[in-house]
């Protein structure tokens, strides 16, 4: 199957400061819903008090869920927003580093408790992306 390609235009840019105690994933999704952002590119950096992430096993098509209760910094974060079940859905991967230089990370899950995180949401307009279950991968894809 060939790659699927969409073309979009740049929309609004939102710059956020998430505060101590916020849930990183839930807060970005809530703000996208409030601003009626349906498709976006998301980046973030800062620090969390708790990290929650997963790894998707291609066989047996399921996530292994992990968490770190250490205080960590977000060293890498890339994500997008599209629609799933009628609401904005954030798909993001992040890398978190600890005081000893060790890293953990993966597919962002609910439960990342913010210490302070700066987020940029770049809206994309002119297209609709809706996630539906892909039978080949077992993932909710466009
Ligand atoms: Zn993922």
């Amino acid at each position: 199957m060939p790659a699927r390609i969409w073309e979009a235009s740049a929309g609004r840019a939102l710059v956020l400061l998430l505060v101590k105690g916020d849930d990183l994933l839930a807060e970005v999704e809530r703000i996208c819903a409030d601003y009626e952002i349906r498709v976006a590119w998301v980046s973030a950096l800062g620090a969390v008090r708790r990290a929650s992430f997963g790894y998707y096993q291609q066989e047996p098509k399921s996530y292994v869920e992990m968490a770190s209760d250490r205080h960590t910094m977000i060293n890498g974060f890339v994500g997008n927003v599209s629609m799933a079940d009628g609401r904005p859905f954030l798909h993001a991967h992040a890398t978190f580093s600890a005081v000893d230089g060790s890293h953990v990370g993966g597919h962002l899950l609910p439960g990342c408790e913010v210490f302070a995180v700066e987020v940029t949401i770049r809206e994309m307009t002119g297209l609709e992306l809706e996630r539906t279950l892909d039978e080949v991968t077992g993932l909710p894809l466009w």
Side-chain angles (χ1 to χ4, degrees), residues 54-56 63 78 89-93 106-108 131 139:
Y55 179 86
Y56 188 72
Y63 279 97
V78 62
F89 173 86
L90 172 63
H91 178 209
H93 291 186
H107 174 95
L108 197 73
R131 291 190 179 274
L139 292 166

Side-chain angles (χ1 to χ4, degrees), residues 6-132:
W6 292 266
E7 188 170 329
S9 299
R12 295 168 291 175
L14 296 184
V15 180
L16 322 172
L17 173 62
L18 303 184
V19 297
K20 193 172 177 180
D22 281 346
D23 183 290
L24 177 55
L25 191 149
E27 195 63 1
V28 170
E29 289 181 342
R30 184 190 66 77
I31 290 166
C32 285
D34 285 354
Y35 281 79
E36 299 181 347
I37 290 176
R38 301 174 64 84
V39 181
W41 190 254
V42 181
S43 60
L45 71 163
V48 296
R49 297 173 61 78
R50 180 178 191 276
S52 182
F53 50 89
Y55 179 86
Y56 188 72
Q57 295 179 292
Q58 297 176 24
E59 298 297 338
K61 298 181 183 175
S62 63
Y63 279 97
V64 175
E65 297 188 4
M66 294 165 269
S68 169
D69 288 317
R70 300 177 77 181
H71 294 174
T72 55
M73 296 193 312
I74 299 171
N75 281 349
F77 182 111
V78 62
N80 58 54
V81 170
S82 57
M83 300 300 287
D85 299 323
R87 63 177 188 81
F89 173 86
L90 172 63
H91 178 209
H93 291 186
T95 304
F96 304 91
S97 67
V99 65
D100 60 2
S102 64
H103 288 73
V104 293
H107 174 95
L108 197 73
L109 293 174
C112 290
E113 183 185 341
V114 167
F115 179 70
V117 177
E118 300 165 351
V119 179
T120 304
I121 300 172
R122 297 300 308 259
E123 181 184 33
M124 290 184 269
T125 60
L127 81 162
E128 282 288 323
L129 292 176
E130 177 85 29
R131 291 190 179 274
T132 56

